[in-house]
Amino acid sequence: MVLALLLGALALWGASRLTWFAEFRDGGVRGTVLYRETGEQRATALVPLALLALAGVAGLVATGGWARRVLGVVLALAGAAAIWSGVAGVRFSGYAAGLPVTEMLLGRGLAVVAGMLVAAGGLAAVKGAGGATRLGTKYAAPATRKKVRDPDVQLWDALSEGEDPTDLRGGHSE
């Protein structure tokens, strides 16, 4: 799930740098000029969603249980938002000759793939929230009280291990 979020964040950032919209405009004295808008200009949520995915990596490592589930749901929704950003307003035909159509479709497609990665990472976090370890559990103090066992069970366990529970010296019976 961490790798999916990292790759998703990287892909969202990359999609924000590519051209998402282009058209030829009248530039006055300069004639017809190519006007471009990047993904960051067209879909302003791309960079914040990439930062959220990166922060989600730290959050998933540091949390566990219900907090990790909530974070996973937030990341899955962020992935859905990235997918929507890539799909909203896309068209596959009707472009003028000379426009960077490949780059425009690649930018949107990259946002969709990134959204899928972030959503998958979030859903994996929700599913595996109970089983995954969280940061610092290795250093957590063990329980201070041991479980109190039934004295009769302790006697039978001692007998099963070959010890004489009535021997106060703690030796083995022969």
Side-chain angles (χ1 to χ4, degrees):
M1 73 182 111
V2 170
L3 183 62
L5 291 174
L6 288 174
L7 290 175
L10 182 64
L12 281 170
W13 179 80
S16 74
R17 301 291 173 231
L18 294 174
T19 299
W20 278 39
F21 175 78
E23 68 181 1
F24 291 109
R25 292 189 176 173
D26 183 17
V29 179
R30 297 182 312 171
T32 304
V33 294
L34 179 63
Y35 173 77
R36 294 175 180 238
E37 288 183 4
T38 64
E40 187 176 12
Q41 292 168 316
R42 277 310 252 205
T44 56
L46 291 177
V47 174
L49 288 173
L51 292 174
L52 178 64
L54 280 179
V57 170
L60 289 179
V61 169
T63 61
W66 66 269
R68 187 176 284 177
R69 284 184 182 94
V70 170
L71 181 58
V73 169
V74 169
L75 289 169
L77 291 174
I83 292 170
W84 179 254
S85 294
V87 173
V90 70
R91 63 180 198 194
F92 296 103
S93 63
Y95 293 103
L99 291 178
V101 176
T102 304
E103 185 180 350
M104 293 187 321
L105 293 177
L106 180 66
R108 289 180 175 274
L110 195 56
V112 170
V113 169
M116 286 188 228
L117 286 169
V118 172
L123 292 175
V126 170
K127 184 178 181 210
T133 60
R134 62 170 219 207
L135 188 66
T137 55
K138 179 170 138 178
Y139 304 106
T144 55
R145 255 178 67 187
K146 291 186 176 184
K147 185 178 174 183
V148 178
R149 295 180 57 194
D150 184 17
D152 292 334
V153 172
Q154 288 178 337
L155 289 174
W156 283 109
D157 287 344
L159 283 173
S160 297
E161 294 173 6
E163 297 177 11
D164 182 2
T166 60
D167 184 11
L168 297 177
R169 294 175 291 156
H172 294 288
S173 61
E174 297 175 16

